[in-house]
Amino acid sequence: MTIHSRLFHVSLAALVGLGLGMGAKLATGASSGRYLCTSIPRACTFAPSEAPVLRANVCWSERSTTLKADAACASGSYPFYVEHGEVDPLTGAVTPYIPLDDACSHGYCFFGPSTGQEDAMCCTSGGCVPYMAGDGECPGELVLCNNSAEGGCSDGQG
C-alpha cells in the first residue's frame, strides 16, 4: 500500500510539474498559446476580413476575455492567444474576432428577411443558410453576409 501511495504522489508531482511548465510556455510569447477562436469558437465574434489585428495573449473565462499580464491568469480563467480583436481601453476587456470574407465577393448573396446586421452564412453552390455557431458544422464556405435591405450584399449587389 505504501508503494502505491508513493507512486501516486510521484505521478501527481510529475503531472503538476508538466502542467506548470506548459503554463509557463503559454505565457512566454504572443503566439505561443492555444488559439481562442478555434479552441472555443463561441468566445469570438464574426467580423469582416478587415477586422483589427491584435496578436495578444489573453485570459478567457466564461464571463470575460482580458489581456494577459506577465503573471498567470486569475483563478477560473485560462490563457489563450488571439490574432484579431479589440481592447476596451476603459475596462481592458478584449473582443476577439473571427474574420470572414464577404459573401458577395465570393458570388453568394442571401435573399431572406432583412436583419439589418452582418450574419455568418454557410454557403454552397445551392445557396446560403444562416450559420448556427452552436453546431460548428458548415459543409460549404463560411462567409459574412451584410443582410440589409440591399438584398443581402454589403456592396449592393444582388
Side-chain angles (χ1 to χ4, degrees):
M1 187 81 155
T2 304
I3 294 174
H4 291 292
S5 179
R6 285 185 189 165
L7 181 60
F8 173 76
H9 287 288
V10 169
S11 298
L12 182 60
L15 287 174
V16 169
L18 179 63
L20 290 174
M22 288 177 67
K25 184 177 181 184
L26 290 177
T28 60
S31 63
S32 63
R34 297 174 294 165
Y35 183 49
L36 178 63
C37 295
T38 54
S39 298
I40 307 172
R42 66 180 158 63
C44 299
T45 302
F46 293 116
S49 59
E50 308 83 37
V53 174
L54 182 60
R55 291 189 182 125
N57 287 328
V58 298
C59 292
W60 175 86
S61 73
E62 286 289 334
R63 290 172 290 173
S64 66
T65 304
T66 57
L67 286 176
K68 185 178 183 309
D70 290 334
C73 292
S75 177
S77 64
Y78 305 93
F80 287 94
Y81 172 74
V82 171
E83 181 70 23
H84 293 87
E86 293 181 286
V87 179
D88 182 323
L90 298 176
T91 65
V94 174
T95 303
Y97 295 131
I98 298 173
L100 296 176
D101 288 338
D102 182 70
C104 294
S105 68
H106 288 256
Y108 302 117
C109 285
F110 174 70
F111 298 98
S114 172
T115 63
Q117 63 185 19
E118 293 179 318
D119 295 311
M121 304 296 288
C122 183
C123 298
T124 64
S125 59
C128 298
V129 295
Y131 175 72
M132 303 308 222
D135 68 12
E137 297 291 323
C138 178
E141 188 173 7
L142 189 58
V143 292
L144 197 63
C145 182
N146 184 353
N147 188 6
S148 65
E150 297 164 350
C153 287
S154 61
D155 59 6
Q157 297 175 354

